[in-house]
Amino acid sequence: MKLYAPSYYKKFKCIADKCRHSCCIGWEIDIDEFTLGKYQSAEAPYASEVLKSIEDSENPHFMLCGGGRCVHLDENNLCRIILNLGEGYLCDICREHPRFYNTVKNGMEVGLGMACEEACSIILNSDGYSEISEICELGYDEESPEFDACVPRQRLFSILSNCEKRYNERLFDIYNEFSVSPNMLGDEKTRLVLSRLEYLDSNHQKLFSCYSGALFDCDGQEKILERALAYFVYRHCSGAEDIFEFRAALGFCLICERLLASLLKNCGDAVELARIISEELEYSEDNTEAIKSEFRLSFTNP
Ligand code: SF4
């Protein structure tokens, strides 16, 4: 099976101690069985420190200390596991973050998640989101899905990148082509749905209350919004099992895009705002599902 990635994928390198929102703060990191075994059999002195730092529960994970910091994050925001044992001792989640994977018709796709500020900056500043090419052979196979979500996705990307039309016209064309738009839920309902989600930071709940699904003038932010929407679609629509699920996922993506547009209207750093949307909405399966299920309902009860 082949692995595919967008052209910007290879630009990513973790900025470690220069990161303002380290993924080693605020997240409980589950440790996979294979890596746990490596800690148990390692002889280096730091391996016993690592073992002591694991909370023994059904899902073994690293303890967090003050400010929700991973216990292995040092005062310079560098990982002590890498410094003492080497990168080969990172658990799957730490080694893979911020990458995500989707099984598609002709193989597997990998992308960079926008909750990581470096990945977010790359995504919002790179052209060529529709250039998805093979990066390696994985050496194993997985069952191929029957539905090929890459076909409607490619159609969507060609509408989205049509420079002969203004950005809002392209969005309008997408709404028509796929019979899904943020207005199917309406602004009031969407704000209510957003307000009821689970938040990592309660300030973001208030921040998101400015949501509007209207196609207002985006004041030179069109490229940012276009690339953000392409990212959301690449991540959430590509693994859809049928066109119904593709449209529900697209509804979620369109809400994220309009939320970013609404936040940018009030000014602010586009990378930081997109990162917040990613962290709060798409990095919580429950939140993503809550919004998608509103679209499923609106498709069946128009
Ligand atoms: S959020 Fe991204 S850049 Fe920051 S520490 Fe994590 S992987 Fe590195």
Side-chain angles (χ1 to χ4, degrees):
M1 183 161 68
K2 296 184 189 324
L3 185 65
Y4 299 86
S7 52
Y8 57 72
Y9 176 78
K10 286 194 172 166
K11 292 186 195 170
F12 178 74
K13 187 165 188 332
C14 171
I15 54 172
D17 54 328
K18 291 177 197 70
C19 184
R20 288 171 303 160
H21 302 280
S22 170
C23 53
C24 310
I25 301 173
W27 305 89
E28 217 163 64
I29 308 293
D30 289 345
I31 305 155
D32 57 284
E33 234 180 280
F34 180 73
T35 312
L36 187 60
K38 280 173 87 172
Y39 297 146
Q40 283 159 344
S41 56
E43 281 172 15
Y46 198 72
S48 62
E49 293 299 311
V50 175
L51 286 174
K52 275 188 246 159
S53 74
I54 296 172
E55 303 236 84
D56 194 17
S57 66
E58 247 177 74
N59 300 313
H61 55 268
F62 294 126
M63 286 172 192
L64 298 179
C65 53
R69 295 170 67 87
C70 172
V71 284
H72 300 291
L73 195 61
D74 75 7
E75 56 289 356
N76 299 315
N77 277 358
L78 292 171
C79 172
R80 289 194 188 94
I81 295 181
I82 296 181
L83 295 175
N84 290 289
L85 298 173
E87 281 196 36
Y89 281 82
L90 287 179
C91 62
D92 284 354
I93 291 181
C94 294
R95 192 183 54 250
E96 288 291 346
H97 185 81
R99 294 163 190 84
F100 63 85
Y101 295 86
N102 279 317
T103 306
V104 293
K105 187 82 179 168
N106 60 347
M108 179 93 82
E109 290 182 343
V110 60
L112 302 170
M114 221 157 63
C116 157
E117 65 183 56
E118 178 62 4
C120 189
S121 171
I122 291 171
I123 291 163
L124 297 187
N125 290 297
S126 303
D127 277 323
Y129 52 78
S130 58
E131 291 157 22
I132 297 157
S133 53
E134 182 187 333
I135 55 166
C136 69
E137 170 62 52
L138 288 170
Y140 62 87
D141 281 327
E142 258 183 31
E143 203 180 326
S144 171
E146 273 179 35
F147 177 67
D148 189 356
C150 299
V151 174
R153 184 185 71 189
Q154 203 44 48
R155 172 74 190 133
L156 191 150
F157 281 171
S158 74
I159 300 173
L160 185 60
S161 57
N162 178 4
C163 332
E164 283 169 20
K165 290 196 173 183
R166 294 180 58 232
Y167 180 65
N168 283 351
E169 290 173 323
R170 286 179 253 159
L171 282 184
F172 193 68
D173 287 349
I174 290 171
Y175 298 171
N176 282 337
E177 175 90 15
F178 294 93
S179 305
V180 53
S181 98
N183 301 321
M184 290 174 94
L185 304 190
D187 284 2
E188 213 173 301
K189 173 81 176 284
T190 306
R191 283 194 287 265
L192 185 68
V193 171
L194 290 173
S195 73
R196 288 179 174 163
L197 300 176
E198 54 179 24
Y199 283 87
L200 290 167
D201 180 339
S202 56
N203 291 321
H204 297 155
Q205 188 176 23
K206 209 148 88 210
L207 186 71
F208 290 0
S209 64
C210 71
Y211 172 86
S212 164
L215 291 178
F216 43 79
D217 191 0
C218 296
D219 285 339
Q221 302 280 15
E222 291 82 358
K223 263 286 162 208
I224 293 283
L225 292 167
E226 177 186 333
R227 290 167 183 156
L229 179 57
Y231 156 79
F232 287 123
V233 168
Y234 179 71
R235 178 164 191 163
H236 296 280
C237 298
S238 306
E241 59 197 33
D242 54 35
I243 194 66
F244 184 85
E245 280 304 310
F246 184 95
R247 290 172 62 228
L250 177 56
F252 169 79
C253 300
L254 294 170
I255 293 285
C256 291
E257 186 274 344
R258 280 298 86 191
L259 179 57
L260 180 58
S262 307
L263 293 170
L264 286 172
K265 207 171 164 203
N266 297 334
C267 296
D269 173 12
V271 170
E272 177 58 5
L273 293 171
R275 193 197 63 77
I276 290 171
I277 292 173
S278 170
E279 178 180 84
E280 295 289 8
L281 299 192
E282 61 164 6
Y283 268 75
S284 158
E285 262 178 49
D286 288 347
N287 287 352
T288 305
E289 211 28 57
I291 297 173
K292 277 163 73 174
S293 64
E294 291 295 336
F295 279 95
R296 287 189 199 104
L297 274 176
S298 75
F299 299 156
T300 45
N301 305 311

